[in-house]
Each structure stands twice: as structure tokens, then as C-alpha cells.
Amino acid sequence: MTLKKELRKTVAVSLLSVVFGFILGAVIMLVFGYDPIAGYTSMIRSSLGTTRTIGETVSQATPLILTALGFSVANSAGFFNIGLSGQALCGWVASVWVALAFNSLPAIVLIPLAIFVGALAGAFAAAIPGVLRAYFGTSEVIVTIMLNYIFLYLSTYIVHNSMAKSMLSSKDSTIQVGSHASLRISALSDWTMNSSINGGIIIACIALFLMWFVMKKTTLGFEIRSVGLNPFASDYAGISSKRTIIVSMILSGALAGLAGVVQGLGTYQNFFVQGGSLSIGFDGMAVSLLGAGSAVGIFFSAILFSILKVGGLGMPLDAGVPFELVNIVIASIIFFVGVNYLIRLLLTRKKRREIVAQVDSQSREDGQNKQEGGIL
């Protein structure tokens, strides 16, 4: 199968996963007595109906793009980085802490510093399971799951015990960062009627291009993909699989840390104690899988998930559909992404039946020609 055919098949599988998810959601709405057409119309209107809702949709998609990119890098090296939530949380806390601690610095210094420290915190959080996997063979899945809880409670401890009182607005949240540390861009806010869209979308688009370039055009990207395909063969070819494992996890964590930076300096502009793991980590994994790990696919998948999230908020008001059903639609899409093997199998069988039908038809024509005295 050529690369172009495989790409077409991957796109078809992703689109079918979305379509099946929406169909299952519509069936569930019908079963419970709701109008799916009114529900989906309300969803689109609530997420894309005005410039403000468009701004909120893009704002919701921004951290998803970054966490999905982080998952994609680790996945290319053959790892399942489930610690994106904890790594994003590290980036969120670190960037806000720096923005508040060095409040007197000018914006041109403070914003890059806060972004760098946030990305560094995420990279450090991901380097731990990377080193353990490279040198001790531990499961990165178990380690990252446990680290998610450690970072969650560590962030709470930092807010309660380590941050200066002057940084806190209440027991569980910090004050907002200054305007010279914020990622909000007045032109974007004005255009979208004061939505939460911010400069994070620029960071996300730059990250999309850079990671595409790194993975497709550089030696490091080639090494990461080689280790992901076969670490033993890569070692035999002179590629250090241990170094590549650690580097891929550091890149993955840095991208997740940037997602936390966007949440802290862009969307919320402060940090508040979290009751559980950040949803952007797990949603980012689904976005990456739906987008097949490609830059373009991740961008559109993140927008789709954001439409579901933002649009779902309007469904109870406009169409009377409970928000829980929206979550069922999202879960259905993730389910069909997870079982994409079945969709691929169905597509393969359909193609095989078409080929068999063509061969049978050709055989019958050949037989008729032979009976009539041979092929003309």
C-alpha cells in the first residue's frame, strides 16, 4: 500500500469515527426523547454562532493542541504518556508563580521567562518516567499515572504552604497575574467581544509547525520514529535508544507544560487548587489519536473537541438536551477512535469484496471470450 493510500485510509477512519460517534449520540438522544437535530444545531450555534463563541472555541482548543502534540511525540517513540495532566499542571503552577514572584520585570522579559519556566517544569516532570524507562525498564504508563497524583497534591501544597501570602487572593487561589505577564492580546479580545482567546493560539501554531519540522525534517525526528518502530534495530544501527527515549519524553513534557502555561497566563490568568487531574491531558490524548498524530489532523481534531465542549454548554438551554449526553457523544467518538481497528477491518473487507467482484467479472468475460473462440 502506498503512502498516499495509507493517508487516505487514516483520514477515512478518523472521519468515520466522528460520524459514528455523532450517530450513536443521536440514537441515545432519540431513545431518551430528545431531538438530535435541534441538539446538534444548538451545539453549532453555541460554539460558532458569534465572534465571542468562536473566540471561546479557539481558546478551548489551544491547550488541547499542545497536549495532543506532546502525546504524539511520545507515541512516535513508542510510549504512552498518560502523565500529560500532571505535566501541564506543573507548567501552570510554575508559570504563574514566576509571573507573580518577578512582577516588577518588564513584559518583554517576564513573559518569555514565565513561558520558559513553565515548559521546563513540564519537561522535568516528563523526564522522570523517561529516565526510569530508559535505564530501569519501568512501565511509563504506571509511573506517569502515579506522578499525576503526586503533582496534583504537590500543587495544592505549594499554594497552601509555599507561595507568599501576597500572591494569594484566597486560601485556594492566587491573585491574577499582571497585564504585562498576561498572554491576552487586546486586539483578539476586542474582535471576539472579550472572549478568553489569547496569544496561546500563536504559541500552539508555532509548536505545530516546529514539531512537524523536527519530526519530518531532522535527524532527531528520524531517530524518535526509528526507536518507536524498533528500539533494538535502532541500537544496532547506532542510535542510542536510551537517549532518544529521554529526549522524546522531555519534548512531550515541555509541550504539555506549555499547555499549562496557556491555562495560567492566558485563559484563567491565575492558579487555583484543582480537585482532580486536568481534563486537557486526557482530552489531548484523544485529540492526538483522532488526528492520527499529524499536525493538520491534531489542529482540526482539537477544534472539533472544542466545538463539542463549548457547544455542549448551550444544548441544555437551547434544546433541552442534558450536558451529560454531550459527554456521551465525546466518549463515543473516543470509543470509535479506540476501536479504529474494526473500522479499518470493515474498510479492508469492503475493498476486498470489490476486488473479488472485479476478478469474478473479469473471469466471466474471459470465459465467454474463450467460448467464442478466444480473446479478440
Side-chain angles (χ1 to χ4, degrees):
M1 181 180 290
T2 64
L3 185 62
K4 189 177 289 185
K5 286 184 178 178
E6 179 61 26
L7 180 61
R8 281 204 297 264
K9 192 171 184 178
T10 301
V11 172
V13 169
S14 297
L15 291 176
L16 284 174
S17 299
V18 175
V19 170
F20 287 159
F22 276 109
I23 290 175
L24 182 58
V27 170
I28 293 173
M29 278 190 257
L30 284 173
V31 168
F32 286 97
Y34 299 104
D35 183 356
I37 296 177
Y40 288 141
T41 303
S42 171
M43 175 187 286
I44 298 299
R45 190 186 304 120
S46 301
S47 57
L48 302 173
T50 65
T51 54
R52 178 177 173 78
T53 56
I54 291 174
E56 294 295 343
T57 300
V58 174
S59 176
Q60 287 276 333
T62 302
L64 294 181
I65 292 173
L66 292 166
T67 51
L69 268 179
F71 179 82
S72 173
V73 173
N75 198 38
S76 297
F79 300 103
F80 214 76
N81 183 9
I82 300 185
L84 295 164
S85 297
Q87 292 146 25
L89 194 58
C90 290
W92 187 348
V93 174
S95 60
V96 171
W97 199 352
V98 168
L100 295 176
F102 301 98
N103 189 41
S104 58
L105 291 175
I108 195 170
V109 177
L110 184 56
I111 291 177
L113 179 64
I115 292 173
F116 175 74
V117 173
L120 192 64
F124 177 76
I128 297 172
V131 170
L132 292 175
R133 173 59 187 267
Y135 287 97
F136 302 102
T138 57
S139 168
E140 79 277 5
V141 174
I142 296 174
V143 173
T144 50
I145 288 175
M146 293 298 104
L147 282 175
N148 278 342
Y149 289 104
I150 292 173
F151 294 134
L152 174 64
Y153 296 121
L154 181 62
S155 68
T156 302
Y157 176 84
I158 288 174
V159 173
H160 287 167
N161 300 284
S162 300
M163 286 188 173
K165 298 295 182 186
S166 59
M167 296 181 183
L168 303 178
S169 63
S170 69
K171 181 183 176 184
D172 293 331
S173 66
T174 70
I175 60 176
Q176 290 202 324
V177 299
S179 57
H180 61 302
S182 172
L183 291 178
R184 293 286 179 92
I185 299 175
S186 57
L188 286 176
S189 298
D190 293 342
W191 178 67
T192 57
M193 296 186 288
N194 294 322
S195 76
S196 60
I197 189 173
N198 55 78
I201 187 62
I202 299 173
I203 296 175
C205 290
I206 293 173
L208 276 173
F209 173 76
L210 286 179
M211 293 316 302
W212 169 83
F213 183 81
V214 168
M215 296 302 293
K216 299 295 184 184
K217 304 292 182 184
T218 67
T219 304
L220 175 62
F222 175 77
E223 290 178 347
I224 290 175
R225 287 185 282 120
S226 297
V227 170
L229 291 173
N230 193 324
F232 302 107
S234 300
D235 273 330
Y236 186 76
I239 299 173
S240 172
S241 60
K242 291 181 180 177
R243 181 182 63 83
T244 307
I245 288 170
I246 296 172
V247 170
S248 64
M249 285 299 288
I250 287 175
L251 284 174
S252 177
L255 290 163
L258 283 176
V261 171
V262 170
Q263 294 289 80
L265 303 184
T267 305
Y268 298 105
Q269 303 196 68
N270 72 343
F271 178 77
F272 48 91
V273 171
Q274 300 295 310
S277 297
L278 299 181
S279 62
I280 57 173
F282 298 105
D283 289 344
M285 293 164 57
V287 167
S288 179
L289 292 173
L290 183 61
S294 70
V296 176
I298 285 174
F299 178 81
F300 286 109
S301 298
I303 294 294
L304 172 65
F305 266 68
S306 186
I307 289 173
L308 292 171
K309 291 276 187 182
V310 176
L313 297 174
M315 290 176 71
L317 298 175
D318 294 345
V321 180
F323 186 69
E324 287 77 8
L325 287 182
V326 180
N327 288 330
I328 290 176
V329 174
I330 297 174
S332 302
I333 292 174
I334 296 172
F335 170 78
F336 284 110
V337 170
V339 297
N340 65 75
Y341 172 77
L342 294 177
I343 299 175
R344 286 177 180 273
L345 188 64
L346 291 174
L347 291 175
T348 304
R349 285 188 174 180
K350 181 182 177 185
K351 185 69 176 178
R352 192 178 299 162
R353 282 198 297 270
E354 291 175 355
I355 293 174
V356 170
Q358 289 177 358
V359 171
D360 288 343
S361 175
Q362 186 65 40
S363 298
R364 283 195 296 272
E365 290 180 3
D366 291 345
Q368 290 174 358
N369 290 336
K370 285 178 182 176
Q371 289 175 357
E372 292 170 359
I375 301 173
L376 297 176

